[in-house]
Amino acid sequence: QHDFLNDIRHLASELDQRPTHVQEVVPSHPTILGTVDAAKAGMGGTIFTDEHAPVLWRTEFSPDIRTDLVSDANPAGTITNSHLELAGTIAQHDVAAQAFPVHHRTLGTGTDNTPSLAWQTKGSATTLGPTAYLLRCQALHQRHFRYQKQLGHIPGTLNKMADDASRRWDLSDSQLLAYFNSTYPQDRPW
């Protein structure tokens, strides 16, 4: 509740200096597209625009996150795979914001995880905890970088690039880049 009140105070204090533009509220046709995936080991994704070379990104989850993940061997864990997938969608938007100008643009993100898709689409959750915290981070990130987002479902069988980005930890970064350039060649190299 304190975080919520602090967020409201912060937003209210900057409204006269930083008005919300209509393009931050109403999505347009996405001009930055990508896919994202997360698994126990880490998360990763791909991002495409007409103006730039495609972006491949990934990051490993820390051991404490992997240890806390709910599984058959750890039913008392506090982090679900859907939480990891939601974190992945937010990381995808942050990578895009760091790589490209996203100001007043719409980011289109494909995910194969229906709970994270539903949470991102609604922008809210009915529970406290990781989901609510991550959605709060997403909202603040979106306001800071002034973009709109559209998420859509991509079947897992078609999400191969993002799956490889999040799961191919047997490859070094340079090996993964070479793998993508040979397996998923683009007009401009990854």
Side-chain angles (χ1 to χ4, degrees):
Q1 290 176 345
H2 291 284
D3 289 339
F4 172 76
L5 292 173
N6 287 334
D7 290 346
I8 295 297
R9 276 189 212 105
H10 169 74
L11 293 172
S13 72
E14 70 171 13
L15 281 177
D16 62 333
Q17 303 157 16
R18 202 307 211 168
T20 301
H21 193 279
V22 69
Q23 288 177 313
E24 296 174 57
V25 180
V26 180
S28 59
H29 181 74
T31 56
I32 300 173
L33 301 171
T35 60
V36 65
D37 187 66
K40 182 178 183 178
M43 59 184 164
T46 60
I47 305 172
F48 302 90
T49 71
D50 288 337
E51 307 94 30
H52 304 281
V55 171
L56 167 64
W57 70 272
R58 70 176 178 172
T59 189
E60 284 186 272
F61 288 121
S62 63
D64 59 319
I65 289 176
R66 286 186 245 145
T67 301
D68 234 5
L69 187 62
V70 174
S71 66
D72 290 340
N74 186 26
T78 58
I79 299 172
T80 68
N81 183 66
S82 293
H83 293 135
L84 301 182
E85 296 268 7
L86 179 59
T89 62
I90 298 165
Q92 174 88 351
H93 299 150
D94 190 52
V95 170
Q98 302 305 319
F100 310 114
V102 297
H103 184 87
H104 295 170
R105 293 176 79 177
T106 298
L107 311 181
T109 302
T111 178
D112 60 7
N113 183 268
T114 53
S116 66
L117 172 62
W119 292 326
Q120 279 278 24
T121 302
K122 289 187 333 186
S124 66
T126 57
T127 61
L128 298 175
T131 305
Y133 177 79
L134 288 168
L135 290 172
R136 175 178 170 254
C137 290
Q138 170 64 54
L140 294 173
H141 186 272
Q142 192 171 335
R143 173 146 176 91
H144 177 77
F145 286 101
R146 300 177 176 210
Y147 65 88
Q148 186 50 262
K149 63 181 171 54
Q150 284 186 338
L151 277 84
H153 183 263
I154 181 169
T157 55
L158 300 178
N159 204 20
K160 185 75 173 123
M161 286 190 282
D163 285 350
D164 285 348
S166 69
R167 298 172 189 196
R168 292 300 309 262
W169 296 101
D170 58 314
L171 302 175
S172 68
D173 289 346
S174 59
Q175 290 171 326
L176 183 67
L177 192 58
Y179 170 79
F180 263 71
N181 278 319
S182 65
T183 307
Y184 309 112
Q186 303 296 315
D187 291 340
R188 295 179 222 170
W190 289 92

